[in-house]
Amino acid sequence: MLSADALADIDRELAKYPPDRRQSGLPAALRIAQDELGWLSAESIEFVAAVIGVPAVRAWEVATFYSMYDLQPVGAHKISLCTNISCMLRGADEIAAHLKRKLGVDFGQTTADGKFTLKEVECLAACAGAPMLQLDRDYHENLTPARVDEILREYQT
Amino acid sequence: MRECRGVCLPREHARCWTLEAYRRGGGYRALERVLREKVEPGAIIEALKTANLRGRGGAGFPAAIKWNFIPRAAEGQKYVVCNSDEGEPGTCKDRDILRYNPHALIEGMAIGGYVMGASVGYNYMRGEFWEPYQRMEAALAEARAAGLLGENLFGSGFDFTLHNHLGAGAYICGEETALLESLEGKKGEPRFKPPFPAAFGLYGRPTTINNTETFASVPAILRGAAGEADGDWCSGEWFRDLGVDNAGGVKIFSVTGHVERPGNFEITLGTPFAELLEMAGGVWKGRRLKAVIPGGSSVPVLPAENIMRANMDYDSLQQAGSALGAGSVIVMDETTDMAAVLERIALFYFEESCGQCTPCREGTGWLHRILRRINAGRGSRADLDTLLDVANRIEGRTICALGDAAAWPVQSFLRHFRHEFEAKVEAGDANIADKTAAAIRAA
């Protein structure tokens, strides 16, 4: 289900923890699986549990507790917009409205072409660069509608 | 100006995260000297005590006391863990330490490991911190290659291994026992205390957990002011003298919201708020100050006149009716709709409650729904009493402090800005009266 590279990455993560504490590597293993597969299906969550050597319910607990795991298919790129207080004070609402109009989706939805999923997220600890968003792994700060357009163009191609 | 970079935020900028740049500023000299001279762990704790270093994660607990809790002579594995799960709204300082000064954290944790007799450390970073994680991974590789991490460091017989651990998205994991659960690969649900982590921590072993900024402050405190001045070595006095009576040294303040130049400012504790506001360029657009949340979204809000008289230290902000928290200063100008801000804060705690304790799981939902109703003009006067009632019934009745953190903003916003909520519910009451009248007419 996972490539040899992904399994090797999981092994590298597991090496950080005592041999009898493999469950510590579970969050990383789920992340690696999600990176490769796009999202976490029931099958992939249970596969990861087997790789780690824990009961499937342990992997389910982690996959459903943390906000970064996607338990439904998502777009090729995930846009996570912070709307928490420091961003709100500096115009996150305007950025949210702009993104929704531009992409034609609401929070929690994916564009028809499958390119972008738009998410509303809590504080991402970049408050001095508010308003901000995370696109896949990268932070983009000091957003304006024009800056958002530029960012979207970079990922459109 | 009392800006004083160089303890946790680097003075120079060009590739400041590299080992070479860190060493130029005196980096790793403290670790080397501690290990070569086999400095008594008690002497290091004494220096932190003299320095009056208080925990920088929010609670302000004295670091020296925490480091003393660990049963150093206990047999078996012990751990040092760094809490880099920065997530309190308004807080963005640890991200900059991780990105720009990763070696200060590594050196601080290695010294912590030596003091506590712990040969393994974990740096727990929030899952979204991919860029800081990459920086930290590169820094660990540099430190290992340079013999600053690993076995028998500087021939002292002390081994120290450090790993980065990435979370997966959950504010609650900033709570130290939830962080330990998460590090064990479980849901981040806080544990009952006692037992405290010093006795029963990671994998049930004695563990010391400190915030990123706390660990990163340690090398500079031991090294001394100039980095070279021998009289300062391992005394902590120079650091203490920078601060005020009940809190030594310098601290990073994240100033965000309605200011001209938001940013992180490493300044001496006790600096007047007015000076910090000026460093951030003052209130934006020439507007007047309305209110400030001085320590992150969980601490009580203060009206302008109260904060303008306060200094940025633990005692002064407590006297003003709030707390220093993580040093996260959220500035709001005269146009700010306080009920809308409180609704957003309430949504945050509702989203992030782990669900373990009923008062928090259910109460945070109540708080958010009532505030949403009030802001939508559908609230009533009775809602204000219900809000306070719910907040009071959460406070002090949960395993961890997230419940209190949800209650305090509600209590303080209503204490200082009740008139704004009243204006909204009066409109709401009028709506209800109109609808009733319309219904009667229709009948």
Side-chain angles (χ1 to χ4, degrees):
Chain A
M1 183 156 212
L2 292 177
S3 69
D5 280 354
L7 292 171
D9 281 348
I10 292 173
D11 281 340
R12 260 193 296 279
E13 290 292 332
L14 286 170
K16 296 176 179 178
Y17 312 101
D20 58 340
R21 299 288 181 177
R22 287 170 64 91
Q23 192 175 332
S24 282
L26 179 57
L30 287 168
R31 180 186 77 233
I32 291 163
Q34 175 165 297
D35 283 348
E36 182 155 297
L37 303 169
W39 63 289
L40 293 175
S41 63
E43 202 188 359
S44 54
I45 290 169
E46 284 162 25
F47 179 84
V48 168
V51 169
I52 300 295
V54 294
V57 64
R58 298 286 164 254
W60 274 108
E61 284 177 342
V62 169
T64 53
F65 185 85
Y66 295 95
S67 65
M68 293 176 72
Y69 299 120
D70 295 308
L71 306 183
Q72 303 288 331
V74 290
H77 301 291
K78 195 158 69 176
I79 301 177
S80 304
L81 179 71
C82 173
T83 58
N84 210 306
I85 172 163
S86 297
C87 284
M88 172 191 179
L89 292 172
R90 296 183 76 91
D93 288 352
E94 187 196 352
I95 302 298
H98 185 75
L99 272 167
K100 289 176 184 177
R101 196 168 51 241
K102 200 87 186 170
L103 298 173
V105 295
D106 207 339
F107 283 136
Q109 295 179 340
T110 301
T111 54
D113 62 2
K115 211 151 225 167
F116 297 104
T117 295
L118 183 61
K119 279 181 72 176
E120 179 180 28
V121 296
E122 296 300 344
C123 184
L124 292 178
C127 319
M132 64 80 62
L133 60 77
Q134 182 168 26
L135 204 159
D136 299 336
R137 282 173 168 162
D138 298 330
Y139 278 26
H140 297 273
E141 304 178 37
N142 302 306
L143 298 175
T144 59
R147 179 71 195 118
V148 168
D149 291 346
E150 272 174 48
I151 296 165
L152 290 180
R153 263 197 305 277
E154 282 168 39
Y155 284 84
Q156 226 20 289
T157 48
Chain B
M1 284 294 228
R2 307 200 196 176
E3 190 154 12
C4 185
R5 287 177 87 92
V7 174
C8 287
L9 294 177
R11 265 196 208 91
E12 55 175 304
H13 281 286
R15 296 185 58 74
C16 53
W17 53 85
T18 60
L19 178 59
E20 193 197 343
Y22 183 61
R23 279 193 143 151
R24 261 202 310 276
Y28 287 109
R29 280 198 206 135
L31 178 66
E32 180 170 356
R33 190 158 172 187
V34 160
L35 294 179
R36 282 201 195 283
E37 297 178 9
K38 297 214 169 72
V39 175
E40 268 299 306
I44 295 170
I45 291 178
E46 199 53 40
L48 298 185
K49 193 174 163 193
T50 303
N52 224 334
L53 174 66
R54 296 178 59 168
R56 304 300 198 218
F61 192 80
I65 296 181
K66 193 182 259 191
W67 284 26
N68 242 333
F69 281 153
I70 285 277
R72 254 195 306 280
E75 289 292 309
Q77 188 65 56
K78 296 185 275 295
Y79 294 101
V80 287
V81 173
C82 179
N83 184 344
S84 299
D85 190 54
E86 184 168 57
E88 172 84 4
T91 317
C92 54
K93 64 186 181 70
D94 297 334
R95 176 171 171 248
D96 278 3
I97 296 173
L98 297 166
R99 290 193 300 166
Y100 300 130
N101 211 4
H103 286 286
L105 174 58
I106 296 171
E107 188 181 7
M109 288 190 75
I111 293 169
Y114 170 79
V115 170
M116 256 70 75
S119 61
V120 179
Y122 290 99
N123 175 32
Y124 184 107
M125 276 169 279
R126 61 177 299 168
E128 294 87 348
F129 274 180
W130 187 255
E131 184 200 9
Y133 177 74
Q134 298 294 98
R135 254 317 137 71
M136 280 301 308
E137 285 283 278
L140 284 187
E142 278 185 311
R144 284 179 194 130
L148 300 162
L149 289 172
E151 289 177 1
N152 191 22
L153 298 174
F154 298 103
S156 64
F158 171 66
D159 306 335
F160 189 68
T161 311
L162 181 56
H163 301 290
N164 292 313
H165 178 101
L166 208 50
Y171 166 72
I172 191 62
C173 294
E175 198 280 340
E176 61 180 12
T177 59
L179 185 147
L180 293 175
E181 289 287 301
S182 183
L183 189 46
E184 293 180 4
K186 304 172 188 162
K187 291 187 285 183
E189 289 183 339
R191 299 172 180 171
F192 275 105
K193 292 191 277 192
F196 290 93
F200 188 93
L202 181 64
Y203 308 133
R205 303 299 310 163
T207 301
T208 299
I209 310 178
N210 280 119
N211 169 254
T212 320
E213 188 182 354
T214 313
F215 274 126
S217 299
V218 170
I221 289 172
L222 297 186
R223 203 160 63 220
E228 299 282 352
D230 213 56
D232 280 347
W233 165 249
C234 204
S235 87
E237 283 172 19
W238 76 277
F239 193 78
R240 175 198 64 199
D241 294 344
L242 288 175
V244 289
D245 264 356
N246 200 18
V250 298
K251 158 104 192 73
I252 305 173
F253 290 92
S254 309
V255 185
T256 68
H258 293 159
V259 290
E260 284 292 343
R261 288 189 303 277
N264 284 317
F265 302 89
E266 189 165 31
I267 59 172
T268 54
L269 280 162
T271 301
F273 168 77
E275 281 186 33
L276 178 60
L277 181 62
E278 207 168 296
M279 286 177 207
V283 180
W284 73 350
K285 302 179 181 178
R287 291 184 190 154
R288 281 188 312 185
L289 181 67
K290 180 174 192 173
V292 171
I293 301 175
S297 69
S298 1
V299 311
V301 67
L302 293 175
E305 59 273 24
N306 301 29
I307 186 77
M308 287 304 281
R309 286 196 302 264
N311 299 330
M312 301 310 290
D313 63 76
Y314 300 91
D315 291 350
S316 178
L317 286 168
Q318 200 178 351
Q319 278 154 20
S322 189
L324 183 123
S328 327
V329 181
I330 305 169
V331 177
M332 290 169 270
D333 74 19
E334 55 190 324
T335 68
T336 310
D337 177 342
M338 300 308 276
V341 169
L342 185 60
E343 180 187 336
R344 186 63 188 83
I345 292 175
L347 173 64
F348 172 70
Y349 291 105
F350 175 48
E351 288 279 329
E352 299 295 342
S353 172
C354 80
Q356 196 175 202
C357 310
T358 310
C360 175
R361 181 186 66 237
E362 301 302 322
T364 51
W366 273 85
L367 294 178
H368 178 245
R369 285 190 298 275
I370 296 170
L371 284 160
R372 194 174 53 189
R373 185 158 76 213
I374 290 171
N375 279 313
R378 289 184 284 106
S380 71
R381 205 158 257 284
D383 281 340
L384 298 186
D385 297 332
T386 312
L387 263 185
L388 269 184
D389 189 43
V390 173
N392 293 342
R393 282 166 200 269
I394 300 172
E395 188 188 10
R397 289 177 174 81
T398 54
I399 292 174
C400 83
L402 192 144
D404 300 336
W408 291 335
V410 172
Q411 293 161 343
S412 63
F413 272 68
L414 281 169
R415 188 180 314 130
H416 295 298
F417 299 98
R418 196 180 175 93
H419 55 282
E420 293 195 23
F421 293 83
E422 281 173 347
K424 288 201 176 184
V425 297
E426 268 156 28
D429 275 337
N431 278 343
I432 293 164
D434 286 349
K435 278 178 200 148
T436 313
I440 291 168
R441 275 198 303 276

